[in-house]
Amino acid sequence: MKKLLALALGLVLVLNVAAWAEVVIAFSQIGQESDWRTANTDDLKSAIENHPGWKLVYDDAQQKQENQIKALRNFITQDVNYILFTGVVSTGWDEVLKEVNEAEIPLLLIDRMPDCADKIEYVAAFGGDFVEEGRRQVAWAGEYLKSIGMGDKDVNVVIMEGTTGASAQTGRTEGNLKALKDYPHLKLVGQQSGNFTRAEGQAVMESWLKSLDKIDVLIAQNDDMALGAIDAIKAAGKVPGKDIIIVGCDSVKAAFDAIVAGEMNCTVECTPLYSRFVVPTIEALEKGEKFSKTVVHPEEGVFDTNGGIDLGTVKSTKAADVISTRQY
Ligand code: GYE
């Protein structure tokens, strides 16, 4: 009897310690607007949920900043151990992120950076180099046209932008516009937001096809919008990838399929797979290690129909050669 009691007591103790030692990681996600976002959510969710001793508290803000602010305040009330954060837009986070700092909850920034990053404390940051991605998109179009002997012909370009005010949009637009200056034959004839979704990408392309005389190149700031535009181009009786050159961003599976099918020409990579950075970082923080306040950009590629287009910082890879190795 005594033995049994001791055993039961021991068990209660072990269970208590286990519950006490649990690391609670809260993640404020933007929404579910794109294949990229789905891959990003799945990657982080499964890595955290499958990690021994870790628990995930997940919140999907459905593209609303006020929902994200509410979620962050809930995380503070719950006194979680870590907060993962990506903001739908870049402004308006100063107050709530200061509250996170005051609660002394370590903050990890991922994907889209808030513009107040310099004024707050965070333990690590991992995100895309959006300006460089935007530059690569336009440079690819310019260099590709040169490679097929069209380098000195005027062509009409449209830029389909992501969610207005998101750092992924402002950064890519900055990179797009800067690179256009290097290719004076690329003439900008349209610039509009498709909100990073397939449906809006399709609608914007539909209206451009009606209102513009000629479109030669579409720069879409994500693949979902490019894929929506492809549907609109087909519906208008034109051939995507031939009548209109299409450059996307993200490098999701569906874009690879479209490139291999000849309906899209290029996609600039922006990886959504952040668990390979986030997991070792939290493990190290748990051991007391410190990180510097710098944004880490993962290595990324550019994928197209034939490969070999030199963009200075990177050379394009033929999509068909690597499609079987893609993880998202
Ligand atoms: O490109 C887009 C997504 O913030 C990098 O958001 C991310 C962007 C990505 O909806 O597809």
Side-chain angles (χ1 to χ4, degrees), residues 30 33-37 86 111-112 130 133 168 172 196 221-224 249-250 270 274:
I30 289 168
E33 72 282 3
S34 64
D35 286 4
W36 188 100
R37 191 65 54 197
T86 174
D111 174 26
R112 302 182 188 171
F130 301 135
E133 289 163 6
R172 286 175 189 160
F196 280 138
Q221 289 178 357
N222 84 345
D223 290 333
D224 288 70
C249 192
D250 286 349
C270 171
Y274 285 120

Side-chain angles (χ1 to χ4, degrees), residues 10-61:
L11 200 72
V12 167
L13 217 86
V14 165
L15 284 177
N16 263 339
V17 169
W20 172 76
E22 189 167 70
V23 176
V24 180
I25 301 161
F27 178 21
S28 169
Q29 178 61 293
I30 289 168
Q32 310 167 48
E33 72 282 3
S34 64
D35 286 4
W36 188 100
R37 191 65 54 197
T38 308
N40 177 249
T41 303
D42 292 350
D43 169 60
L44 283 163
K45 258 191 175 175
S46 71
I48 294 168
E49 282 169 350
N50 293 325
H51 193 289
W54 288 8
K55 187 184 147 191
L56 176 72
V57 176
Y58 177 75
D59 185 87
D60 174 342

Side-chain angles (χ1 to χ4, degrees), residues 276-317:
R276 63 204 154 112
F277 304 106
V278 167
V279 169
T281 300
I282 295 181
E283 282 172 348
L285 288 164
E286 281 295 292
K287 287 188 196 136
E289 280 174 44
K290 299 250 179 306
F291 285 80
S292 69
K293 230 182 128 181
T294 47
V295 185
V296 175
H297 300 304
E299 272 285 313
E300 289 166 341
V302 173
F303 306 96
D304 59 9
T305 319
N306 295 312
I309 303 287
D310 192 348
L311 305 176
T313 53
V314 66
K315 222 185 207 171
S316 71
T317 300

Side-chain angles (χ1 to χ4, degrees), residues 67-322:
N67 289 349
Q68 286 203 274
I69 293 176
K70 235 186 257 163
L72 290 168
R73 294 205 165 119
N74 274 335
F75 297 162
I76 296 173
T77 310
Q78 290 175 53
D79 199 21
V80 301
N81 300 106
Y82 295 93
I83 291 178
L84 299 183
F85 173 70
T86 174
V88 59
V89 289
S90 54
T91 57
W93 304 107
D94 306 48
E95 206 182 307
V96 72
L97 293 182
K98 279 207 184 104
E99 292 170 28
V100 169
N101 284 168
E102 276 156 23
E104 291 180 12
I105 300 172
L107 176 67
L108 281 86
L109 303 175
I110 52 169
D111 174 26
R112 302 182 188 171
M113 297 296 137
D115 72 348
C116 62
D118 288 345
K119 290 182 259 162
I120 56 157
E121 287 308 318
Y122 55 88
V123 289
F126 310 102
D129 187 344
F130 301 135
V131 178
E132 170 64 4
E133 289 163 6
R135 183 197 71 81
R136 289 179 178 188
Q137 287 193 292
V138 168
W140 186 89
E143 294 303 321
Y144 170 71
L145 287 166
K146 277 187 201 166
S147 79
I148 58 167
M150 297 249 303
D152 45 18
K153 264 196 84 187
D154 282 354
V155 295
N156 287 351
V157 178
V158 287
I159 296 178
M160 197 180 279
E161 296 183 352
T163 304
T164 306
S167 62
Q169 176 268 317
T170 52
R172 286 175 189 160
T173 300
E174 185 187 327
N176 288 160
L177 297 180
K178 261 195 202 152
L180 277 177
K181 295 205 179 105
D182 299 333
Y183 301 93
H185 292 289
L186 301 185
K187 307 282 180 201
L188 184 62
V189 296
Q191 188 178 358
Q192 203 176 314
S193 172
N195 209 16
F196 280 138
T197 69
R198 213 179 255 235
E200 284 177 70
Q202 183 173 355
V204 170
M205 194 49 157
E206 252 166 41
S207 84
W208 272 338
L209 287 167
K210 282 183 198 140
S211 63
L212 298 172
D213 281 347
K214 194 163 78 80
I215 302 171
D216 301 298
V217 177
L218 163 67
I219 303 291
Q221 289 178 357
N222 84 345
D223 290 333
D224 288 70
M225 294 190 296
L227 294 162
I230 288 173
D231 291 339
I233 293 166
K234 281 187 192 162
K238 292 193 190 303
V239 185
K242 298 206 169 57
D243 295 339
I244 300 179
I245 292 167
I246 301 171
V247 184
C249 192
D250 286 349
S251 304
V252 297
K253 271 254 166 65
F256 268 77
D257 290 340
I259 292 173
V260 171
E263 295 186 337
M264 190 166 158
N265 307 77
C266 173
T267 179
V268 171
E269 186 174 29
C270 171
T271 183
L273 307 177
Y274 285 120
S275 71
R276 63 204 154 112
F277 304 106
V278 167
V279 169
T281 300
I282 295 181
E283 282 172 348
L285 288 164
E286 281 295 292
K287 287 188 196 136
E289 280 174 44
K290 299 250 179 306
F291 285 80
S292 69
K293 230 182 128 181
T294 47
V295 185
V296 175
H297 300 304
E299 272 285 313
E300 289 166 341
V302 173
F303 306 96
D304 59 9
T305 319
N306 295 312
I309 303 287
D310 192 348
L311 305 176
T313 53
V314 66
K315 222 185 207 171
S316 71
T317 300
K318 182 174 174 171
D321 288 347
V322 291

